[in-house]
């Protein structure tokens, strides 16, 4: 943050007041984490209101939890992990992302402390997307770590369709065994432990893993099973299984967000860490939007590609005042 303030001060006119890093940190400490989280989510939704940044129709989402290494002293908001790289603790963040070809925008991210907060964070993020976005939410994709009754309950409360990769136990495990011969298998109204009235049941199906799916060559199973509220007798199971591959985009987004766009943060304050993660979220979304839009403006959509560092330089060097007067920006 200190380097960013120094660069901005060096590039700006003398009469521009650039806040110091300590001032920005003081602001972040004075904000509730959920307030900061909503500011960045609202800004991301505002970016997506631009025509063409998202495909027409409902926008499908993916939800995941990621870990960020913590090298500091033991902290109430960190938890342990494998002992490597001189660290045993991690910060955990819940991330909600849009999915679609080259449009994996991160809509929201928030730090969580316990596994029990995963569904609570999802509920909060989805309600804020409903509040600030002008698009309809389609289905939400989850991996097997989200094979939980509170995730199903949250989706039902919000009115969102879901597709959750199932564990290989119980009825989903039976469907995987049944489908080993090559074809799909399906079952309706299976019990899912923990669900409460009025609907304690879900539907499930198993389908062959697409050969183009990430990691398909390394899997022991030839099929994947999912639970859903879709009518598995009426839906195109092949289409659902194929489209689920888009869930991998949230993992790609998270990896790039953490390693390419997030600044180094050694603070143990949740507000400051939320601000760093939120700033990375916005820069990542700018980068995705630029890569989607600029090729068409430059007339060469097939070969143009902007990397993360170039995107950051473009944002930094853009002459906003000239753009407002209708002149070209420095990109």
């Amino acid at each position: 943050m200190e380097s960013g303030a120094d660069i901005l001060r060096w590039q700006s006119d003398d009469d521009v007041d650039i806040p110091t890093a300590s001032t920005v940190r003081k602001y972040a400490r004075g904000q509730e984490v959920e307030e900061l989280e909503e500011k960045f989510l609202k800004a991301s939704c505002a970016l997506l209101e631009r025509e063409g940044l998202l495909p027409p129709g409902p926008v499908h989402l993916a939800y995941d939890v990621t870990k960020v290494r913590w090298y500091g002293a033991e902290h109430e908001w960190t938890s342990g992990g494998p002992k490597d790289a001189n660290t045993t603790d991690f910060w955990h963040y819940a991330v909600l992302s849009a999915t679609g070809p080259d449009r994996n925008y991160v809509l929201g991210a928030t730090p969580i402390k316990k596994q029990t907060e995963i569904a609570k964070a999802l509920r909060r993020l989805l309600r804020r997307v409903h509040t600030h976005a002008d698009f309809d939410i389609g289905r939400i994709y989850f991996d097997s770590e989200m094979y939980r009754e509170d995730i199903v309950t949250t989706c039902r409360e919000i009115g969102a369709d879901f597709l959750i990769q199932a564990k290989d136990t119980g009825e989903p495990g039976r469907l995987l065994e049944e489908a080993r011969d090559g074809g799909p298998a399906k079952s309706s109204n299976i019990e899912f432990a923990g669900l409460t009235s009025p609907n304690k049941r879900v539907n499930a199906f198993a389908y062959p893993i697409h050969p183009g799916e990430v990691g398909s060559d390394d899997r022991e199973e030839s099929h994947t099973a999912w639970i859903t509220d879709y009518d598995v007798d009426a839906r195109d199971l092949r289409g659902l299984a194929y489209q689920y591959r888009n869930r991998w985009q949230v993992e790609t987004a998270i990896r790039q967000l953490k390693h390419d766009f997030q600044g180094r943060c050694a603070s143990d304050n949740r507000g400051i860490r939320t601000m760093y993660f939120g700033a990375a979220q916005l820069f990542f979304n700018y980068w995705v939007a630029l890569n989607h839009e600029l090729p068409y403006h430059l007339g060469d959509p097939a070969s143009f590609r902007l990397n993360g560092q170039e995107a950051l330089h473009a944002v930094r060097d853009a002459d906003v005042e000239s753009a407002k007067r209708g002149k070209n920006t420095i990109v």
Side-chain angles (χ1 to χ4, degrees):
M1 193 178 293
E2 286 84 356
S3 297
D6 288 342
I7 292 173
L8 187 58
R9 191 174 296 109
W10 170 63
Q11 291 188 321
S12 302
D13 296 331
D14 293 336
D15 59 346
V16 176
D17 186 18
I18 306 299
T20 64
S22 60
T23 298
V24 178
R25 291 194 185 97
K26 182 179 179 180
Y27 167 81
R29 289 192 186 96
Q31 298 280 305
E32 294 291 335
V33 167
E34 293 184 10
E35 293 176 335
L36 289 168
E37 163 199 310
E38 182 166 17
K39 291 179 188 294
F40 288 109
L41 186 147
K42 183 178 180 181
S44 294
C45 289
L47 171 67
L48 300 187
E49 288 179 1
R50 290 177 55 88
E51 183 178 355
L53 286 186
L54 285 171
V59 176
H60 302 315
L61 308 179
Y63 183 67
D64 205 355
V65 173
T66 188
K67 298 185 294 185
V68 176
R69 295 184 186 276
W70 173 242
Y71 297 92
E74 185 177 347
H75 190 273
E76 63 173 337
W77 274 83
T78 61
S79 59
K83 293 184 178 181
D84 61 346
N86 300 318
T87 180
T88 58
D89 284 340
F90 297 86
W91 286 83
H92 297 260
Y93 294 86
V95 180
L96 183 68
S97 170
T99 65
D102 298 321
R103 300 180 188 184
N104 54 336
Y105 299 100
V106 174
L107 299 179
T110 187
I112 59 174
K113 184 177 182 180
K114 304 174 183 177
Q115 288 289 312
T116 54
E117 296 181 8
I118 292 177
K120 181 180 177 181
L122 172 63
R123 184 181 296 110
R124 187 171 66 247
L125 291 171
L126 286 176
R127 284 175 176 167
R128 287 177 174 164
V129 170
H130 276 298
T131 299
H132 299 297
D134 65 347
F135 55 80
D136 295 326
I137 295 177
R139 72 182 69 97
I140 308 177
Y141 302 116
F142 304 90
D143 67 5
S144 59
E145 296 302 316
M146 301 291 170
Y147 185 63
R148 305 156 50 109
E149 65 276 1
D150 54 358
I151 293 294
V152 173
T153 300
T154 296
C155 290
R156 287 175 173 174
E157 290 176 352
I158 297 296
D161 295 321
F162 60 87
L163 202 60
I164 305 176
Q165 185 176 337
K167 304 283 189 181
D168 57 355
T169 58
E171 183 67 5
R174 186 193 68 78
L175 291 177
L176 288 172
E177 288 291 336
E178 181 182 330
R180 286 185 185 277
D181 293 337
K186 57 189 177 181
S187 182
S188 300
N189 294 318
I190 67 172
E191 291 188 0
F192 191 47
L195 288 180
T196 57
S197 298
N199 186 1
K200 297 182 179 181
R201 295 174 176 269
V202 296
N203 301 327
F205 71 96
Y207 204 86
I209 296 174
H210 191 278
E213 184 172 328
V214 177
S216 60
D217 294 337
D218 300 326
R219 295 193 181 186
E220 296 181 1
E221 296 287 347
S222 60
H223 292 62
T224 301
W226 293 271
I227 60 171
T228 182
D229 274 346
Y230 285 128
D231 184 346
V232 294
D233 292 320
R235 298 289 304 207
D236 175 13
L237 301 185
R238 179 178 182 274
L240 287 177
Y242 183 82
Q243 292 169 17
Y244 179 83
R245 299 169 60 212
N246 288 326
R247 194 207 69 82
W248 285 98
Q249 293 182 9
V250 69
E251 298 195 12
T252 301
I254 288 172
R255 183 174 62 252
Q256 293 173 311
L257 188 152
K258 291 195 302 184
H259 300 300
D260 297 335
F261 291 91
Q262 186 181 20
R264 291 191 297 270
C265 181
S267 175
D268 64 356
N269 181 274
R270 291 179 63 229
I272 293 176
R273 299 192 69 88
T274 301
M275 186 185 65
Y276 268 79
F277 217 78
Q281 169 188 330
L282 286 185
F283 281 130
F284 173 80
N285 288 340
Y286 295 154
W287 174 64
V288 175
L290 285 168
N291 272 307
H292 175 69
E293 284 201 331
L294 284 183
Y296 299 97
H297 291 290
L298 298 178
D300 188 13
S303 61
F304 181 84
R305 189 69 180 171
L306 188 73
N307 65 37
Q309 187 177 31
E310 290 168 338
L312 292 176
H313 284 304
V315 172
R316 185 186 67 185
D317 294 342
D319 188 342
V320 178
E321 293 304 318
S322 293
K324 290 179 179 179
R325 297 190 297 268
K327 298 180 180 179
N328 292 329
T329 58
I330 304 171
V331 177

